[in-house]
Amino acid sequence: PLLRFSGSSLLCPQLRGPPDAALHDGLLSQYDGDSCSWQENYFVLLGDFTLRWFESEEALRKGCEPRGSTALSGYLLLSSPSEYAASLVGLCQGLAGGSPFADPPGEFLFFLYHPFRRHFCFCAGSAGSRRIWRAALRDGIRYRSTELQRRDSPEAEAFLEAVRFYRQERGRYGAGDLLLGPEPEILGNVLMEDLLPLLRSQVLPSIRGSERRRQPRWGGGGGGGGGGGDRSHPKFLQEVYALILSEISGEFEGFREEREKLQLELEKRIRPDLDQMLTLKDQIARKLQAVVQSPAESCCGWGVEPHLERLVEELVRPVGSGVEAVRSLFVQRVDEMIGLVRSSPVAVLQEEV
């Protein structure tokens, strides 16, 4: 059973609830790519930032199995149909565009987009509900996507650098969204990046049907429905990515076990010489400091310090403008709240607070 967690979804990681805590939950309309219709599901964002959905709130309370779940790593949170359609055009090159979904049940739309995983088209019941969901999901995406970067370990840094070098050797730079998530997902993203041109040239032309049908079968168009997934119209890129991710995860786990064994052997080999190595390290550090200190101080004296005052002035100006804008907004809202106290019932005031 899920635990209720009353804390805000914007709390610091150390203040979050346990993995099975419900950070936020509620009804959302979700586009079903199989039936080309909108269906209502009950969504729950868990403490480990996994998104689950159920047929209803009652199904959740009864402990029924969820209709589906997804980790939020690597997703983009999009705010408008035009942004989502533009992302699909980039993913489905060679296919005609057009609206990726039928008429929504309301105007409060938002989207979860991943180039190689299922997409989610949501419609909230109100502007307030959409704002809360977007804040919670944005925080979850950021937290799950930066799992590797937050480890702050030599192994994680070496892994990320190796992936960057691999891509740079192939003339690809930027695209930091490919370096988000745990190691298997990052490797899967990079491998899909290598395969995508080949798949577009050899597989995409063989997908039959109208343009409107070919686009979701290739890899986009609103994701699966509230039920058991996209079995009637499997999305090719998602199937390929899932297969690659499965293979990589298994091999990576074997590599991790082998690495741990090698690390233990290396530690045993190094430990007897550790004191000598530390002494040598201190000696080298002192020599480097003696060589570098005087030129560095001289460079700072004539090349940096004369410009510091002007740089501080340039930095203070936008900071001061920002503080003044926050102050004006605060004063405006306080005036509005005072007006509400004088003219409105307590229920309205509580909602505003």
Side-chain angles (χ1 to χ4, degrees):
L2 295 172
L3 304 174
R4 290 297 304 153
F5 182 65
S6 58
S8 166
S9 67
L10 300 179
L11 291 174
C12 296
Q14 60 267 29
L15 298 180
R16 300 187 187 281
D20 58 350
L23 297 179
H24 187 61
D25 55 6
L27 285 172
L28 288 172
S29 293
Q30 177 190 4
Y31 182 66
D32 175 8
D34 291 345
S35 63
C36 297
S37 63
W38 292 82
Q39 298 181 354
E40 201 170 63
N41 289 298
Y42 195 82
F43 286 82
V44 182
L45 182 63
L46 300 179
D48 63 352
F49 294 112
T50 297
L51 186 65
R52 287 184 184 174
W53 55 99
F54 298 80
E55 181 179 358
S56 63
E57 184 177 5
E58 184 180 2
L60 167 65
R61 304 306 171 203
K62 288 181 177 179
C64 298
E65 288 295 316
R67 284 185 159 187
S69 67
T70 186
L72 293 177
S73 54
Y75 273 96
L76 289 176
L77 181 62
L78 305 177
S79 304
S80 67
S82 60
E83 284 183 293
Y84 180 58
S87 298
L88 290 182
V89 168
L91 178 65
C92 305
Q93 293 179 5
L95 296 179
S99 176
F101 48 78
D103 293 335
E107 59 180 312
F108 306 111
L109 299 169
F110 59 101
F111 308 85
L112 286 176
Y113 170 80
H114 191 291
F116 310 127
R117 292 164 63 186
R118 76 184 299 172
H119 309 163
F120 296 87
C121 303
F122 294 127
C123 185
S126 66
S129 175
R130 178 176 65 173
R131 182 176 64 251
I132 294 172
W133 270 111
R134 291 183 71 246
L137 292 172
R138 185 184 297 113
D139 199 41
I141 291 170
R142 182 170 58 248
Y143 188 85
R144 286 298 295 255
S145 297
T146 57
E147 173 187 344
L148 193 58
Q149 287 82 352
R150 286 184 288 104
R151 287 183 196 170
D152 193 24
S153 66
E155 293 88 350
E157 185 175 350
F159 176 84
L160 292 172
E161 284 300 308
V163 173
R164 289 192 189 98
F165 288 146
Y166 175 85
R167 296 185 69 247
Q168 289 171 8
E169 287 176 353
R170 284 152 180 77
R172 295 194 288 264
Y173 302 87
D177 51 334
L178 292 176
L179 303 180
L180 298 178
E183 292 97 327
E185 283 190 27
I186 293 176
L187 293 174
N189 293 339
V190 173
L191 185 54
M192 285 295 292
E193 184 184 35
D194 290 340
L195 289 175
L196 201 52
L198 181 65
L199 296 177
R200 280 183 178 139
S201 63
Q202 295 189 4
V203 178
L204 186 55
S206 66
I207 298 179
R208 301 185 180 277
S210 65
E211 293 288 336
R212 189 176 182 85
R213 288 290 183 182
R214 292 175 69 203
Q215 187 187 71
R217 289 177 182 178
W218 167 250
D230 307 331
R231 292 187 180 91
S232 62
H233 297 300
K235 294 172 173 57
F236 178 76
L237 289 184
Q238 294 178 17
E239 296 288 335
V240 172
Y241 184 70
L243 179 61
I244 287 175
L245 201 58
S246 175
E247 292 291 330
I248 288 178
S249 298
E251 292 190 19
F252 189 80
E253 188 61 33
F255 165 76
R256 180 178 293 170
E257 294 175 359
E258 183 180 354
R259 186 196 66 187
E260 291 175 356
K261 293 179 181 178
L262 292 173
Q263 185 173 351
L264 289 174
E265 294 177 3
L266 186 60
E267 288 178 357
K268 292 177 181 178
R269 192 179 306 170
I270 291 176
R271 191 173 290 115
D273 302 323
L274 184 59
D275 292 339
Q276 183 180 354
M277 294 170 63
L278 292 175
T279 302
L280 185 59
K281 173 189 171 184
D282 292 338
Q283 293 175 354
I284 294 174
R286 286 195 294 270
K287 289 181 180 179
L288 286 174
Q289 184 176 3
V291 172
V292 173
Q293 183 173 0
S294 179
E297 291 176 349
S298 176
C299 178
C300 288
W302 62 264
V304 177
E305 290 181 0
H307 305 289
L308 287 179
E309 185 175 352
R310 181 170 58 84
L311 289 173
V312 170
E313 292 176 357
E314 292 293 328
L315 289 172
V316 166
R317 189 179 299 115
V319 172
S321 300
V323 171
E324 182 61 30
V326 171
R327 177 184 177 277
S328 299
L329 180 61
F330 178 74
V331 171
Q332 174 189 341
R333 289 296 290 156
V334 169
D335 290 341
E336 293 175 359
M337 298 298 286
I338 291 174
L340 285 172
V341 170
R342 293 173 176 170
S343 62
S344 303
V346 175
V348 175
L349 177 62
Q350 288 177 339
E351 182 177 354
E352 282 297 311
V353 171

